[in-house]
Amino acid sequence: MWEIDNLSQLLAFLYSAALGGIYCIIYDFLRALRKEIKFGTAAVFVSDILYSLICAVTCFCFLLAVTGGQPRGYVFAGAAVGFLVARLTASPIAVLVFCKALRAVCFVFKWISALLSRFFT
């Protein structure tokens, strides 16, 4: 029976905390997208399912890379801690930045479509 040393457990916990933070930032992008585009209930449901599937697959790949595919409690706890820390600290700023960026992209596309409609009509 082989043992996992404390340093590798700590590193796996910290890596999973970073992964949880990335999950939160991705979900913040979805929140900003919903704010700006006004999704219907079916679109929100589908986007949440896709988000969950993407997170599950990446978490499984992370477990394969870090722990050899063995589910460890500290990895899941680290992802939850990372998500919570990002949600409580960086989330409001990220949503604001994403909303402004989406507004800018929408403005540029409206400007380009107005220019092209004048050109082709």
Side-chain angles (χ1 to χ4, degrees):
M1 181 173 195
W2 58 281
E3 301 228 359
I4 301 173
D5 61 338
N6 290 337
L7 180 62
S8 65
Q9 287 181 1
L10 178 65
L11 285 175
F13 179 81
L14 293 175
Y15 290 151
S16 64
L19 185 66
I22 291 169
Y23 289 158
C24 183
I25 297 300
I26 292 170
Y27 195 74
D28 288 339
F29 179 74
L30 276 176
R31 286 177 50 210
L33 198 62
R34 290 176 189 163
K35 246 181 171 177
E36 294 301 315
I37 298 182
K38 308 289 190 239
F39 283 178
T41 55
V44 169
F45 177 76
V46 169
S47 67
D48 280 346
I49 295 295
L50 286 175
Y51 169 78
S52 298
L53 286 174
I54 289 169
C55 288
V57 168
T58 57
C59 188
F60 177 72
C61 291
F62 177 78
L63 282 172
L64 283 177
V66 173
T67 64
Q70 296 178 349
R72 304 274 184 195
Y74 58 85
V75 172
F76 295 113
V81 166
F83 190 92
L84 263 167
V85 168
R87 180 84 170 126
L88 295 175
T89 58
S91 188
I93 297 166
V95 170
L96 182 69
V97 168
F98 287 142
C99 282
K100 289 192 182 285
L102 287 170
R103 281 187 208 129
V105 167
C106 287
F107 175 76
V108 168
F109 278 128
K110 286 179 185 177
W111 184 77
I112 289 173
S113 71
L115 184 67
L116 289 176
S117 68
R118 286 184 188 167
F119 183 71
F120 286 113
T121 56

